[in-house]
Amino acid sequence: MSTLQENATATAKPFRILALDGGGAKGFYTLGVLKEIEALAGERLHRRFDLIFGTSTGAIIAALLALGRSVDEIHETYKQHVPTVMSQRSRGARTAALARLAKDVFGDSTFVDVATGVGIVTAKWMTERPMIFKASIQQAHGSKGTFVPGFGVPIADAVQASCSAFPFFDRKIVTTSAGDKIELVDGGYCANNPTLYAIADALVALKRSPQDLRVVNVGVGVYPQPRNLLMSLVKMIPFNSIELLQKTLEINTQSMDQLRAILFKDVPTLRISDTFERPEMATDLLEANLDKLNILRQRGRESFASREAELGRLLS
């Protein structure tokens, strides 16, 4: 019996959820926070969390955690691949580099291979609705008779779709086990903060009570926008495209968290995503400088410190 199945029936046991925001290269901040959480837990996080949801860069991390990887292993993967992807100058080159990352990291893994509950958030381009890749039929909100883990899509393809922030990456077409071809984009367009979706699975699909849940939501931090000299000279264009995308995702993130606080105020939830206003912290989701990314990781570890006691209570 899987961890998810065991906890779905053991109603007296707290049901722990980890939800990871999107944010491109800023996922290094997430890894800094998770490094400390893993150390506090004293074990790999798939053993401590019953459900791990992720969007975009959070989807990469969530999928790897659910497959049993340690945070250090994921950090090594990020150091190797993320600067390469983000340093590409064209959409086609970035898309190809992202596809290589997904294939190199996940290989032929499928959603049957995960060791805990998982949710990988994407958005359908044509119908403008979310498509969430899950491993367990218990997470299904309907159509259980035709449920297939991950719709039969390899994890590599699902994760690439969740990271495909159009127009900076091409849209991703996946083929399901039913033979359907579906065009997907970054899950951040529907839920850059996937906490609401994860709580909905736990309460509605898995029939847990709000008092059972323990939710940890890790963001990517909020930073000043790097100054683009060319754009600053063009006063009639207040935003360039990357600023507009980032603003869109940040509005989505804050909106989802506000809704979560209103709708599920009785669900114990801790969100970690600090704001950094110093000019030297300026960065965006396409950051490729490994030194800057390492600073983000350090800030993530520091953000953990002020929440250590509360996290200890949630994880105990």
Side-chain angles (χ1 to χ4, degrees):
M1 183 181 292
S2 71
T3 301
L4 184 64
Q5 291 171 323
E6 290 170 356
N7 285 284
T9 55
T11 56
K13 180 180 178 182
F15 188 89
R16 297 185 179 89
I17 295 171
L18 178 63
L20 306 176
D21 290 6
K26 295 182 293 181
F28 274 80
Y29 173 91
T30 309
L31 291 174
V33 176
L34 294 178
K35 169 67 176 176
E36 298 295 336
I37 293 177
E38 185 180 68
L40 178 65
E43 59 186 350
R44 296 193 178 193
L45 294 180
H46 73 281
R47 298 192 181 102
R48 187 56 62 104
F49 287 96
D50 305 288
L51 198 57
I52 305 177
F53 262 61
T55 299
S56 196
T57 193
I60 300 175
I61 299 169
L64 288 171
L65 290 175
L67 287 168
R69 306 287 177 84
S70 71
V71 176
D72 280 345
E73 288 171 334
I74 300 171
H75 180 222
E76 289 301 316
T77 294
Y78 264 56
K79 288 195 297 183
Q80 178 183 351
H81 290 282
V82 170
T84 300
V85 174
M86 298 309 183
S87 63
Q88 302 302 316
R89 302 300 296 273
S90 69
R91 183 171 73 197
R94 277 191 295 270
T95 301
L98 177 61
R100 287 193 296 271
L101 179 159
K103 188 62 176 176
D104 289 349
V105 171
F106 294 102
D108 297 324
S109 296
T110 72
F111 284 88
V112 174
D113 300 320
V114 300
T116 192
V118 69
I120 303 302
V121 181
T122 69
K124 295 180 181 179
W125 178 253
M126 294 299 294
T127 60
E128 301 162 349
R129 295 173 62 87
M131 181 173 181
I132 306 176
F133 293 85
K134 305 174 183 180
S136 172
I137 191 173
Q138 294 179 358
Q139 291 173 257
H141 293 266
S143 302
K144 291 194 174 186
T146 57
F147 179 86
V148 176
F151 303 99
V153 174
I155 291 179
D157 288 352
V159 167
Q160 184 186 344
S162 186
C163 296
S164 293
F166 184 80
F168 294 94
F169 294 87
D170 290 331
R171 300 185 291 271
K172 174 68 176 176
I173 297 176
V174 301
T175 302
T176 69
S177 58
D180 298 325
K181 294 185 182 298
I182 304 174
E183 192 172 21
L184 300 173
V185 293
D186 195 302
Y189 286 113
C190 60
N192 200 54
N193 176 346
T195 307
L196 269 179
Y197 289 173
I199 292 175
D201 269 19
L203 296 179
V204 180
L206 297 171
K207 310 300 183 185
R208 301 304 299 250
S209 67
Q211 303 94 296
D212 289 339
L213 305 191
R214 305 290 184 270
V215 181
V216 178
N217 172 212
V218 183
V220 297
V222 179
Y223 310 90
Q225 185 68 28
R227 290 299 91 198
N228 183 310
L229 179 59
L230 177 61
M231 286 297 110
S232 67
L233 295 175
V234 185
K235 300 298 185 182
M236 292 184 297
I237 306 177
F239 287 100
N240 63 29
S241 52
I242 186 63
E243 285 181 287
L244 181 59
L245 173 62
Q246 189 148 290
K247 180 62 69 174
T248 299
L249 297 180
E250 287 174 358
I251 291 171
N252 178 290
T253 296
Q254 298 303 326
S255 298
M256 295 293 279
D257 192 52
Q258 187 173 11
L259 277 173
R260 189 272 313 161
I262 293 170
L263 296 174
F264 301 115
K265 58 181 179 293
D266 296 330
V267 173
T269 302
L270 175 62
R271 175 167 171 80
I272 305 175
S273 189
D274 286 337
T275 296
F276 303 92
E277 297 179 348
R278 296 172 64 90
E280 62 268 25
M281 290 300 296
T283 192
D284 59 34
L285 56 85
L286 295 181
E287 182 65 65
N289 184 316
L290 195 54
D291 290 336
K292 173 63 72 64
L293 295 172
N294 184 54
I295 291 173
L296 267 58
R297 181 171 179 264
Q298 294 176 46
R299 296 298 172 268
R301 299 186 74 169
E302 292 167 4
S303 292
F304 162 87
S306 62
R307 284 86 163 188
E308 184 170 3
E310 188 173 357
L311 277 164
R313 290 191 294 271
L314 286 174
L315 297 179
S316 64

